[in-house]
Amino acid sequence: METLQAYDLLRPLSFFVGLSPAILRDVASRCTQVMLPAGHILFRQGEPSDSMYIVSTGRLDVSLEAESRRPGSIYEAGRGQIVGEMGILSGAVRSATVRSLRDSLLFRLSKEAFEELLDRHPTLSRRIAVDLSERLRKSNERVFERHYNVKTFTIIPAGELAPTTEFTAKLIRVLSEIGSTRLITKRIVSEAVGSTDMTDSRVVHWLNEQESKYAYLIYEADLQPSAWTSRCIRQADRLLAVTRFEGSRDPNEIEQFLTRMVAEMPRSHPRIDLILLHREVGFQPVNTPEWLAGRSAEKHHHIANDSVKDFRRLARVLAGKAVGLVLGGGGSRGFAHIGAIRALEEAGIAIETIGGTSQGALIAAQYAMGLTPGEMIEVNKILFRDYRPLKGDRTIPVFSFLTGKTSNKGLQWMFGKRYISDLKLPFFAVSNNLSQAKVIVHRDDPVWRAVRCSMALPGLMPPVIEGGNLIVDGGVLNNLPVDIMRDQCHGSVVAVNVSPPVDLIANCEDKDNLSFWEFMRRKWFGKKDGGSIPNMLEILMRTAFLSSIHHRETMARYADLLVHPPMAGVGLLDWDKIDDLVEVGYQETRARLQHWAGRPGSSTEAPGTEAGLPITRLPLTGVQA
């Protein structure tokens, strides 16, 4: 039985793909099963490499220890992934520490057995050489490899009002549209194994069998701590803590237990997502930070209880099928992002998470707040007409050309007192700590302040001062933060870059000394004599983004789809061209989508048809009880 299980596990792996059944059976026969309880260390960084492991069920955390340059978790390994293989190939010591996040079943192949297999089967040696060569090629090209394969979810109650049974039924219906899904309850397990003892080895064996048969398992825990609740937590890749948004914010017994677990074993527990259910489809969350305070949730999701659209969005996020949208900075050219969003919506592509830099952060925050593309056009016309955030409050240029007061007022008018956690979609904005020369990712600040930091163009806008540090425009170091989205979104990433590689061409002869009057003549009459030149603000903006533009090709490799609307003839400060820029972004995105085969995240229904439908109308196809 063990050999058969190992054989089925090895067959699709890149290390062994294409090998004959006889070789695979020989490899499988030399694998031994290892049970690794939640929280246990498989091996530590710096130890001798004596074996490799293949994950059959469970989840492992691969992390670097404190003495490494960048300590912390690197990635999580789930079913079908190998850990420790490079050590036995190179003979080097372990390069990372591996510990179990949940009860895990592994297959171990010792170094001695592996070397014997290489001697007996030259084909295996060639196959591994090809695999390593492919890994090296991808490393050199910086091709992003996805490691997300979460399969098991445990539903636990949060707060005081927790409709877990109702929520579980709805989630199973939408998750089964993505892959085969099975509900696991205490009653189902007891009937299947003939025992009510959740510590019985037969229970673990049966649960592992279900994990190999289905794409996803949904565990429904008890409403209070119990042996079954503990078993559910130990089997989970992700914990979903469910509550009604209107209920009490106080953590319940299970949450308090999880808080203690996180404190005792910060790297050895399943990740926790907080699910906040709302009564109305048109909900507007407020005071969400009160829900997050004192909880160890890694993410949170606002879900309308009767919205099929929201539940499908959650299912795509949990299944690693989400679409993240990244919007780059570029002054007024950022209005093209509105057109790109409109094109994505018309194509039926649901945006599950969004983020951006500078003007891209502004547009992203508006969309995350729930505004439609049409509404975004109107509010931006009001913002840049009435508040004139980037030209309405000039001052003596000691700290900056503008005071920033009108920008603050305009952003506060637009976003009010909302925090990022209050937004309907996950959102982030990027800025830079000028004092410490590092990138900042805003995920829990007031929305207006996060956007203000991301738009603080050095020289034009005054930096935001936080703790004595100067916070400036995110475009200085990362104008198209696709890499940050990759860390946040498990799925496909669409990026819209509105910064052209060539810009601000001065069509005039070289001048050692350009007087004020010569500048004014060429600025206002240059188009007639072919000698137009950019002004100081345009030069400042272009200079601020230069580092990011230089790295645009690297960022493009992280994106599944890159949209680059043509910006010829559009200046960085052409705020009055919003309608034209929206159309440019719309048309270019439509054209790019026509060539994006097999687009992930596309809806089977017309955009907008899901919201508000009774969720009981969803099909039950694929659900196993």
Side-chain angles (χ1 to χ4, degrees), residues 230-250:
S230 296
R231 171 53 58 192
C232 290
I233 293 173
R234 295 174 71 90
Q235 293 293 132
D237 289 332
R238 290 288 187 272
L239 296 177
L240 307 182
V242 180
T243 189
R244 294 193 188 278
F245 188 79
E246 300 81 8
S248 170
R249 270 69 166 165
D250 296 333

Side-chain angles (χ1 to χ4, degrees), residues 515-548:
S515 68
F516 171 77
W517 298 111
E518 178 69 9
F519 170 82
M520 294 301 294
R521 185 184 74 80
R522 294 190 180 280
K523 183 65 180 176
W524 296 108
F525 304 103
K527 293 182 180 179
K528 296 180 181 179
D529 62 14
S532 63
I533 58 176
N535 62 37
M536 182 165 53
L537 294 183
E538 292 173 321
I539 294 173
L540 277 174
M541 295 181 74
R542 179 68 175 181
T543 303
F545 296 151
L546 201 59
S547 174
S548 293

Side-chain angles (χ1 to χ4, degrees), residues 219-290:
Y219 289 82
E220 185 178 353
D222 292 332
L223 296 179
Q224 62 283 323
S226 65
W228 171 243
T229 297
S230 296
R231 171 53 58 192
C232 290
I233 293 173
R234 295 174 71 90
Q235 293 293 132
D237 289 332
R238 290 288 187 272
L239 296 177
L240 307 182
V242 180
T243 189
R244 294 193 188 278
F245 188 79
E246 300 81 8
S248 170
R249 270 69 166 165
D250 296 333
N252 59 32
E253 289 184 84
I254 294 179
E255 291 182 285
Q256 293 171 12
F257 166 75
L258 287 173
T259 299
R260 291 192 297 270
M261 177 190 294
V262 172
E264 294 171 1
M265 299 184 297
R267 293 187 188 174
S268 302
H269 65 89
R271 305 294 187 260
I272 304 170
D273 285 21
L274 180 62
I275 312 297
L276 300 168
L277 298 177
H278 299 260
R279 292 195 182 101
E280 305 295 333
V281 171
F283 63 88
Q284 291 294 335
V286 293
N287 300 325
T288 304
E290 294 179 6

Side-chain angles (χ1 to χ4, degrees), residues 39-105:
H40 282 223
I41 300 290
L42 181 62
F43 53 76
R44 287 191 179 278
Q45 182 177 331
E47 292 180 347
S49 300
D50 59 356
S51 54
M52 59 184 281
Y53 299 86
I54 306 101
V55 182
S56 178
T57 60
R59 198 154 197 84
L60 306 178
D61 174 73
V62 182
S63 61
L64 298 179
E65 298 294 350
E67 63 267 19
S68 300
R69 291 182 180 178
R70 297 179 61 185
S73 180
I74 305 173
Y75 69 93
E76 295 177 7
R79 177 176 171 79
Q81 289 183 264
I82 304 175
V83 294
E85 76 280 14
M86 296 306 294
I88 65 171
L89 286 171
S90 65
V93 297
R94 301 296 191 187
S95 60
T97 295
V98 177
R99 56 170 53 83
S100 59
L101 293 173
R102 46 163 289 207
D103 289 354
S104 302
L105 175 64

